[in-house]
């Protein structure tokens, strides 16, 4: 459904504590169904480099999104097919983001006790400069109602959306109408 609605990537969450977590078996079935038509990103947290490489290879993921407390040294051997997710609340968090290698970086809302997926936004103006230096993926409470403003403020490379397009009460299911609306609003336009 997401592919039909025009997404450019699909994230598969492997974080044990996430309500969006998928099994490797389900993930392989999704990868097989969309192979060659969309990028499939594996969302992981606090795995060893060896575990991340093994998961990526077993499931045949296009790249990995490191969403835990991984240090820059854990990302380096996975490049260019991985990027770090950094939770942002202050300018010092943005400085920390610059310490990670790679062309891509994801920024999300920083909330105590949460790795992401909270549906909460943050002060997007904090990362506008970072978006000028890196291929920045903007996450954190993005939904059809605010994606136009988020793009205007940040000018991100892309947006990452989970809760903003979910069926109410079911974080494992996406609402086709909300996905369609968000893709329509976020799609690049000639200006």
């Amino acid at each position: 459904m997401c592919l039909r609605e025009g997404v450019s990537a699909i994230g598969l969450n492997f974080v044990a504590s996430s309500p969006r977590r998928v099994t490797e078996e389900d993930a392989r079935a999704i990868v097989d169904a969309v192979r060659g038509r969309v990028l499939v990103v594996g969302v992981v947290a606090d795995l060893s480099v060896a575990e991340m490489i093994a998961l990526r290879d077993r499931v045949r993921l296009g790249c990995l999104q490191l969403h835990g407390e991984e240090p820059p040294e854990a990302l380096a051997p996975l490049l260019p097919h991985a990027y770090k997710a950094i939770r942002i609340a202050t300018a010092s968090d943005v400085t920390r983001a610059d310490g990670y290698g790679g062309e891509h970086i994801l920024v999300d809302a920083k909330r105590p006790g949460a790795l992401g997926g909270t549906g909460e936004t943050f002060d997007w103006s904090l990362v506008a400069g970072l978006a000028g230096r890196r291929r920045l993926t903007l996450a954190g409470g993005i939904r059809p109602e605010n994606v136009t403003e988020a793009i205007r403020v940040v000018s991100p490379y892309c947006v990452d959306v989970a809760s903003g397009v979910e069926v109410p009460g079911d974080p494992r299911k996406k609402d086709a109408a909300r996905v369609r609306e968000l893709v329509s609003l976020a799609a690049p336009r000639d200006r």
Side-chain angles (χ1 to χ4, degrees):
M1 177 274 294
C2 288
L3 185 64
R4 184 178 60 246
E5 298 304 339
V7 303
S8 58
I10 294 173
L12 300 178
N13 193 319
F14 296 95
V15 179
S17 62
S18 174
R20 297 173 186 91
R21 183 171 189 243
V22 298
T23 65
E24 285 190 34
E25 182 180 351
D26 287 344
R28 277 191 299 274
I30 293 167
V31 168
D32 289 344
V34 301
R35 183 180 318 284
R37 298 184 292 157
V38 67
L39 174 65
V40 180
V41 179
V43 179
V44 298
D46 300 317
L47 299 177
S48 71
V49 171
E51 290 170 321
M52 288 187 278
I53 290 170
L55 174 67
R56 181 195 65 200
D57 293 350
R58 280 192 312 270
V59 181
R60 298 180 300 277
L61 299 164
C63 70
L64 296 171
Q65 181 186 110
L66 284 61
H67 226 292
E69 296 299 325
E70 302 88 1
E73 306 79 57
L75 175 64
L78 302 168
L79 294 173
H81 301 289
Y83 55 95
K84 181 70 178 108
I86 302 290
R87 294 176 296 281
I88 304 290
T90 66
S92 65
D93 296 322
V94 177
T95 300
R96 181 173 167 257
D98 270 331
Y100 284 84
E103 187 177 7
H104 295 264
I105 194 140
L106 180 141
V107 293
D108 199 349
K110 187 177 197 176
R111 298 295 175 254
L115 294 178
T118 64
E120 297 179 44
T121 62
F122 64 97
D123 179 358
W124 296 322
S125 68
L126 289 169
V127 297
L130 184 60
R133 299 187 300 276
R134 306 280 291 274
R135 288 190 173 200
L136 184 136
T137 299
L138 181 63
I142 305 296
R143 54 192 178 279
E145 296 81 7
N146 67 7
V147 70
T148 301
E149 178 67 4
I151 291 169
R152 186 192 68 73
V153 171
V154 178
S155 295
Y157 179 72
C158 60
V159 294
D160 181 302
V161 181
S163 62
V165 295
E166 288 171 352
V167 171
D170 191 346
R172 294 180 51 87
K173 291 190 179 174
K174 305 301 178 217
D175 179 309
R178 289 186 65 75
V179 172
R180 184 179 317 115
E181 181 182 9
L182 191 127
V183 168
S184 172
L185 292 167
R189 295 174 178 83
D190 294 329
R191 300 180 204 258

